[in-house]
Amino acid sequence: MKRATSIFLVSFVAGTLALANTAQLSAQSSGWTGVNAGSDDELYLRSLQILGVIPATSWAVRPLSNASLDSAQRVINVKHPWSDRFANNAGKSSSLIAWRGAALNVDWNSAFPWGGNDGAQWKGRGVSGTLTTGFLFRWKPLTIRAEPILVYAQNSAFDVLPTESGTTNPFVDRMRPDRIDLPDRFGNNALQRLDAGESEIKLEAHGLTASLSNRNMFIGPAFKNALLVDANAPGFAHLSMGTSDGIYTPIGRFSGVITYARLAQSAFAPDKRQGSRLASATVISWRPPHANGVELGAVRFYHRDWPADGLVLGDLKIPFGSFAHDRELFGAQAPDNQLLSLFGRLVSVQAGLELFVDYGRNDRGSSKRDLTVEPEQNAAWSVGFLKVVGQRNSEHFWTTRAEYLNGRVTSIEVFRPQATFYEHFTITQGHTNLGQLLGSPLLERTGGFEVAVDRWGKGGKLGAMLQERSMPLTLGVGVPANAARAQWALQLNGTQHVRNMEYGMRAGVVWDFNRTANNNAENFFIGGSVRIGR
């Protein structure tokens, strides 16, 4: 295993240096073309919006469109901390051929897997990492981006958690082995995979967009931890159609996107159902006229088994099913899983503050009575804020971010079985792709919070983050003391841009209280990254 880890690290470094020596760094793309969903670049631009430096846009679906990024480029004419990375390139971005740079990312966990919002990477125990490079071609309405990712995880053994009675597979989720594809460990061997990464083909013109993509999506108003879809799992192949930044009407600006996707399972998925899933997400949001700081929206996300005989036109109707009549329950429809989300966000430039709230429910109601009388059934919700402290025309500012998610099983469990938000009794892979949650890792069991403070300075960032996850060993109402479990993590992190290089670091500790009955555990982690070209 040590030999495999050494080969991995050497090949990463050699590959990165080779790309650096053979490519013309002057041909790189600017930061505007590298704004990935859930990234620090995206959070930086969101902070600039809160300061009033760049125009407001919809945050219901990301990555941000070319139209939104182009609009920001045209007006950004004041000093700001990352002005070298996000320069005013108006007029240059509509026609572009660029190397996307080469990025190496390496992490290490001392005792057990720990990570989140890592995209294609899985941070098991030991060394893990990714290597990516690619190119971008943009000509008027057409964008082609090829940016595959090489993924590696040493996946060293660790003391596994107690297994639910009857479970023989040593790698599956210990509490819900037959209801979610969320392995505690991906087998006995090192994990190696080539992923399509942030690759896509997109057409965008006249306020509309269509794309065939594998890029990580982010659905909902959250900053880093979404109820439904964020950058936690590997990206998945999907076809999207919708607006680029909304359609203006006399009663406000409406944005909408519909997505059809193919989701994959891991080799350790529950045995009840095997194969890929057809998924569909429909997102609609509204921003009232003359109120750029308000956005209200709704999301419906469906899972269904991938059709054995291939897709037909009728499969495209899955986002338009009933809200309050579960036909599957009465044996009249193929098994599926619907998740619904209603959200809102409010921005005050004067206060330098953004607030959001998001309420989600897993599964439609079996009847209108079920939908209205028990809205808390299989539900989850989140709230959060982003506060920016600094001047509009300054080379540094501070941000404070907090997000809280709650998916606790309610007292309805006493009368009929309930599930956590991401698992499902029929679509037994749950809300996952390739064995990782599509939504926030804070909601893996019953909820948690994340608080971060960052200083954004000239070409870099320094920050600290505190996380807590409630991870009970059982879902029964009134969890006994020896089954209560919580993970707390403290992380320090930083990023620095130096000419055509970008360096990153992170380090911290995880305290897993009551990991097993009356026994605690600790995990130390450290990681770093380097990108040549931007």
Side-chain angles (χ1 to χ4, degrees), residues 48 51 53 77-81 390-397:
L48 292 186
L51 285 174
V53 174
N77 55 10
V78 299
K79 288 190 298 184
H80 59 99
Q391 300 299 317
R392 186 175 182 274
N393 190 7
S394 174
E395 292 188 346
H396 74 272
F397 58 78

Side-chain angles (χ1 to χ4, degrees), residues 35 42 45 57-59 61-66 68-69 202:
V35 183
E42 186 184 76
L45 294 183
T57 189
S58 172
W59 290 89
V61 180
R62 286 106 83 191
L64 295 172
S65 66
N66 288 337
S68 296
L69 295 174
K202 178 168 66 174

Side-chain angles (χ1 to χ4, degrees), residues 72-134:
Q73 287 189 73
R74 286 191 293 268
V75 302
I76 191 165
N77 55 10
V78 299
K79 288 190 298 184
H80 59 99
W82 289 6
S83 57
D84 291 340
R85 184 173 180 81
F86 291 98
N88 186 326
N89 291 327
K92 299 180 182 179
S93 59
S94 61
S95 181
L96 179 69
I97 300 177
W99 177 50
R100 283 286 298 127
L104 166 69
N105 188 79
V106 179
D107 289 272
W108 173 78
N109 280 309
S110 67
F112 50 79
W114 178 259
N117 294 326
D118 308 310
Q121 185 177 3
W122 183 71
K123 297 179 182 178
R125 185 183 177 219
V127 175
S128 63
T130 60
L131 175 66
T132 182
T133 187

Side-chain angles (χ1 to χ4, degrees), residues 280-298:
S280 178
T282 305
V283 187
I284 298 175
S285 71
W286 169 71
R287 287 173 282 162
H290 313 300
N292 289 330
V294 177
E295 184 172 17
L296 303 175

Side-chain angles (χ1 to χ4, degrees), residues 29-357:
S29 57
S30 71
W32 296 103
T33 64
V35 183
N36 296 331
S39 66
D40 280 349
D41 285 343
E42 186 184 76
L43 187 64
Y44 178 78
L45 294 183
R46 196 159 180 170
S47 301
L48 292 186
Q49 284 193 1
I50 295 173
L51 285 174
V53 174
I54 58 178
T57 189
S58 172
W59 290 89
V61 180
R62 286 106 83 191
L64 295 172
S65 66
N66 288 337
S68 296
L69 295 174
D70 291 348
S71 175
Q73 287 189 73
R74 286 191 293 268
V75 302
I76 191 165
N77 55 10
V78 299
K79 288 190 298 184
H80 59 99
W82 289 6
S83 57
D84 291 340
R85 184 173 180 81
F86 291 98
N88 186 326
N89 291 327
K92 299 180 182 179
S93 59
S94 61
S95 181
L96 179 69
I97 300 177
W99 177 50
R100 283 286 298 127
L104 166 69
N105 188 79
V106 179
D107 289 272
W108 173 78
N109 280 309
S110 67
F112 50 79
W114 178 259
N117 294 326
D118 308 310
Q121 185 177 3
W122 183 71
K123 297 179 182 178
R125 185 183 177 219
V127 175
S128 63
T130 60
L131 175 66
T132 182
T133 187
F135 72 90
L136 175 77
F137 169 78
R138 184 178 174 192
W139 183 71
K140 297 183 179 179
L142 175 65
T143 300
I144 299 175
R145 178 171 174 158
E147 199 167 346
I149 301 176
L150 177 64
V151 179
Y152 173 86
Q154 184 180 355
N155 193 27
S156 296
F158 58 93
D159 292 334
V160 298
L161 298 174
T163 305
E164 188 174 273
S165 177
T167 301
T168 58
N169 191 325
F171 305 115
V172 297
D173 182 270
R174 320 309 292 177
M175 188 177 72
R176 305 155 297 181
D178 60 347
R179 300 194 301 273
I180 194 167
D181 180 21
L182 195 63
D184 281 353
R185 186 181 175 210
F186 286 83
N188 287 315
N189 302 316
L191 175 67
Q192 302 175 65
R193 186 178 76 249
L194 181 62
D195 190 274
E198 296 288 314
S199 302
E200 71 174 349
I201 301 174
K202 178 168 66 174
L203 288 171
E204 187 175 323
H206 306 295
L208 301 176
T209 183
S211 65
L212 178 62
S213 176
N214 195 79
R215 297 187 70 184
N216 270 110
M217 293 185 69
F218 201 113
I219 298 177
F223 310 115
K224 292 281 190 177
N225 295 278
L227 279 186
L228 294 186
V229 181
D230 60 22
N232 186 63
F236 46 84
H238 60 275
L239 173 67
S240 292
M241 298 160 285
T243 62
S244 54
D245 189 32
I247 303 298
Y248 179 79
T249 73
I251 60 172
R253 186 178 290 271
F254 289 87
S255 299
V257 175
I258 185 168
T259 297
Y260 296 93
R262 185 164 188 163
L263 301 176
Q265 66 181 34
S266 76
F268 311 99
D271 296 332
K272 292 182 180 180
R273 178 164 270 102
Q274 294 292 328
S276 301
R277 280 154 291 145
L278 171 63
S280 178
T282 305
V283 187
I284 298 175
S285 71
W286 169 71
R287 287 173 282 162
H290 313 300
N292 289 330
V294 177
E295 184 172 17
L296 303 175
V299 186
R300 298 185 81 185
F301 194 104
Y302 275 84
H303 295 260
R304 180 179 292 180
D305 289 332
W306 191 266
D309 298 326
L311 291 176
V312 297
L313 191 61
D315 293 316
L316 302 182
K317 299 188 298 184
I318 63 171
F320 308 106
S322 169
F323 283 96
H325 182 66
D326 190 346
R327 296 183 64 197
E328 177 195 344
L329 189 67
F330 302 102
Q333 184 169 296
D336 66 8
N337 180 24
Q338 178 207 256
L339 295 93
L340 170 71
S341 167
L342 303 173
F343 65 84
R345 47 182 291 267
L346 173 66
V347 179
S348 170
V349 173
Q350 290 76 16
L353 180 66
E354 178 174 351
L355 308 171
F356 80 83
V357 60

